[in-house]
Amino acid sequence: QVQLVESGGGLVQTGGSLRISCAASGRAFGGHTLGWFRQAPGKEREFTAAIRWNGGSTSYANSVKGRFTITLDKTKNTMYLQMSSLKPEDTAVYYCATGYGIILSSMQSSNGYLYWGQGTQVTVSS
């Protein structure tokens, strides 16, 4: 059974930085894509960033490009999202997710992600 456990969320001031983590377990993740999605209060869940286990190709939402960096530590089966220059509009619950065989053009769609974590709250104060 695949398990994804997020950690590292918290309260940070505008302009600050934060790194959140997603520990994955339960299977080998070759061929998988791991992604971050976020959901702000009253809004729909939206894609944030994703990375392929094999090859490391990445994809970012335009709203976070240049500020967020997604990385993968295969030795720890852990994915990270380094967030910098944070804005109040980045406030959300951040979820990690994974799916197998997601093609590059579909990395930003939640449809292919089968397994989801419980989420970690990130709050950016103004």
Side-chain angles (χ1 to χ4, degrees):
Q1 181 73 12
V2 174
Q3 284 193 319
L4 301 173
V5 180
E6 302 96 335
S7 62
L11 176 65
V12 63
Q13 291 186 334
T14 296
S17 298
L18 194 66
R19 190 181 77 163
I20 56 177
S21 305
C22 173
S25 62
R27 65 162 299 151
F29 289 93
H32 275 66
T33 295
L34 289 91
W36 288 101
F37 291 77
R38 66 186 184 183
Q39 187 167 20
K43 294 188 176 181
E44 292 188 354
R45 184 174 57 191
E46 64 177 13
F47 170 79
T48 306
I51 187 166
R52 290 190 123 182
W53 188 274
N54 298 108
S57 297
T58 59
S59 178
Y60 293 93
N62 288 335
S63 59
V64 306
K65 202 171 291 184
R67 300 188 298 122
F68 290 12
T69 302
I70 188 171
T71 57
L72 184 61
D73 186 338
K74 293 182 181 181
T75 65
K76 298 181 180 179
N77 273 17
T78 299
M79 174 178 64
Y80 302 96
L81 187 67
Q82 177 68 49
M83 303 180 287
S84 303
S85 301
L86 283 161
K87 307 173 183 179
E89 50 264 44
D90 294 318
T91 295
V93 177
Y94 284 72
Y95 298 92
C96 69
T98 189
Y100 180 82
I102 299 174
I103 61 176
L104 283 172
S105 60
S106 296
M107 287 174 75
Q108 299 195 5
S109 169
S110 63
N111 291 338
Y113 294 86
L114 183 59
Y115 300 99
W116 293 79
Q118 294 299 307
T120 186
Q121 175 71 46
V122 173
T123 303
V124 184
S125 63
S126 57

